[in-house]
């Protein structure tokens, strides 16, 4: 992945590296310039010291007109050294020089050095020698040392100084400094780069998390946010708070959408509730009248009981669609649960599904019977439909911790996660091949009874877990 230079993942480490390089080379340049200045000052002090050392003998050479003595002294044991020495007499003419071919004897200094300022002879005060800067190609500093005898100037000693003698030494010092600086940078640059990457790491993580906002569900986003009291830490805390607010907003929006769907279904159900309940009431009344008017045998009685419970279950199903539906207060029995198995048996045989049924409940369970029967039947029929074609359905019912626990699981194709999120919504778009009210009715029944229902998948197994609180028994 190629990162643009606008990314702080590169900009900050690169800035630290550039700052380290610029600082190192600036220090090297400053040290080099300071070294050059020191070398120039040392050269001027040495020339001034040597000039004062030669002054007495040069005065004697001028007074005795001894050119050879002056030349020998200026030339010295090493041919005059690095400086160009010129001895002038009282009239400003060259008396001797360590470069005689360039500065000839008896040549006036104005013709030899036309740029040299003219010096005025001092009679009373002896002017000390001084080194001044000169902007010439071969001469960078100039030493002028007046020579006095008996209170009057008898000549002048001039030294022409250049940078050429110590430039090799300066280059050696500068090269050594550059090598040392390079060695230090070779150590500091990786450290600075890693340090910069570590500093910008929390910002990169935060930017990646912010880029995921709007594309992912904020309730399920997992972001490694920075913490602490630093500015980045406070920014991470504020982003976490914003993410929590977005999650709450998402939940509220989902609840509002679900409430609107429930209201729409409620309006439709309210329109047909009376039309359905009236014939149901007539059929229930007819069953009751038939029982009173005609004696029936045991098998017919059981058939009549099953028919009555089925009609009441239809009545409860219609009531489950109403927002203000009132649950049947008849106590649930073990037979009610076994009836569900009987009612689902034709579907089980038709779908060629094996069933494992485990009902560990007692004779009476203090919970409304009709909605629980409807709830269990819907879940069992859904499981049979999902496992059809040689699958398996397992139903386990028990009471535990003052709750009715039901577990219905089936084999078959697992429910995708995106559908699992909208499983209990009415008419979900993820299940266009179904009516879409079965699981929603289950959810409404569980909500009315104050319980919980959840679905989970594990491989090819889909499992529904229901927990319904039991009513407290009234004291005798």
């Amino acid at each position: 992945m190629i990162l643009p230079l606008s990314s702080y993942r590169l900009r900050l480490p690169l800035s630290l590296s550039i700052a380290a390089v610029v600082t190192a080379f600036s220090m090297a340049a400053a040290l080099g310039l300071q070294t050059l200045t020191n070398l120039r000052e040392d050269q001027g002090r040495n020339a001034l010291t040597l000039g004062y050392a030669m002054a007495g003998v040069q005065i004697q050479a001028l007074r005795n007109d001894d050119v050879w003595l002056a030349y020998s002294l200026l030339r010295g044991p090493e041919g005059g050294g690095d400086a160009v020495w010129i001895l002038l007499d009282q009239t400003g003419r060259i008396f001797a020089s360590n470069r005689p071919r360039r500065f000839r004897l008896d040549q006036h200094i104005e013709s030899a050095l036309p740029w040299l300022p003219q010096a005025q002879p001092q009679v009373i005060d002896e002017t000390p020698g001084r080194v001044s800067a000169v902007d010439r190609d071969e001469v960078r500093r100039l030493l002028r040392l007046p020579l006095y005898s008996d209170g009057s100037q008898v000549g002048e000693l001039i030294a022409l100084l250049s940078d050429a003698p110590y430039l090799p030494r300066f280059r050696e010092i500068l090269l050594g400094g550059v090598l040392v600086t390079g060695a230090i940078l070779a150590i500091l640059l990786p450290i600075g780069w890693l340090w910069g990457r570590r500093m910008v790491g929390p910002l990169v993580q935060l930017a990646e998390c912010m880029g995921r906002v709007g594309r992912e569900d904020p309730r399920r986003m997992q972001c490694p946010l920075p913490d602490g009291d630093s500015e980045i830490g406070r920014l991470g805390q504020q982003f976490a708070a914003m993410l929590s607010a977005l999650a709450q907003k998402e939940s509220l929006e989902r609840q509002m959408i679900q409430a609107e769907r429930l209201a729409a279904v409620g309006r439709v159900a309210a329109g047909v509730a009376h039309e359905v309940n009236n014939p149901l009431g007539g059929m229930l009344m007819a069953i009751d009248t038939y029982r009173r008017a005609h004696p029936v045998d045991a098998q017919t009685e059981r058939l009549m009981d099953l028919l009555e419970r089925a009609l009441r279950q239809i009545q409860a199903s219609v009531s489950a669609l109403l927002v203000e539906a009132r649950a049947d207060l008849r106590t649930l029995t073990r037979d009610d649960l076994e009836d569900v198995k009987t009612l689902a048996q034709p579907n089980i045989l038709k779908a060629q599904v094996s069933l494992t049924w485990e009902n560990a409940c007692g004779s009476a369970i203090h919970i409304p019977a009709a909605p629980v029967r409807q709830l269990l039947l819907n879940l069992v029929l859904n499981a049979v439909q999902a496992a059809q074609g040689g699958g398996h359905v397992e139903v386990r019912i028990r009471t535990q911790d003052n709750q009715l626990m039901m577990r219905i699981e089936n084999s078959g194709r697992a429910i995708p996660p995106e559908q699992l999120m909208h499983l209990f919504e009415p008419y979900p778009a993820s299940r266009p091949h179904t009516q879409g009210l079965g699981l929603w009715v289950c959810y409404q029944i569980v909500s009315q009874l104050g319980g919980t229902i959840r679905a989970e998948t594990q491989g090819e197994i889909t499992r529904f877990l229901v927990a319904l609180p039991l009513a407290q028994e009234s004291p005798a």
Side-chain angles (χ1 to χ4, degrees), residues 55-56 61 66-67 74 78 82-83 98-100 135 143 161 221 245 314 355 361 458 470:
D66 191 346
V67 177
L74 293 177
E78 299 180 357
D82 299 328
N98 63 342
R99 302 290 188 271
D135 188 13
L143 168 64
L161 308 177
M221 284 184 60
I314 295 174
L355 175 66
C361 295
Q458 185 177 1
L470 302 180

Side-chain angles (χ1 to χ4, degrees), residues 35-48 169:
T35 302
L36 182 62
T37 302
N38 294 338
L39 290 174
R40 287 173 175 174
E41 292 178 354
D42 291 342
Q43 186 189 42
R45 283 193 297 267
N46 293 336
L48 190 59
R169 182 185 173 190

Side-chain angles (χ1 to χ4, degrees), residues 58-59 62 74 85-96 109 116-121 127-130 142-148 153-159:
Q58 295 292 358
I59 291 173
L62 288 171
L74 293 177
W85 291 94
I86 303 173
L87 178 62
L88 303 180
D89 60 12
Q90 190 174 5
T91 62
R93 294 185 177 277
I94 299 176
F95 184 79
I109 191 62
L116 186 69
Q118 185 176 3
Q120 299 295 330
T127 303
R130 59 187 180 88
L142 173 67
L143 168 64
R144 303 189 69 169
L145 179 61
L147 303 177
Y148 296 93
Q153 184 176 346
V154 296
E156 186 177 11
L157 188 60
I158 297 177

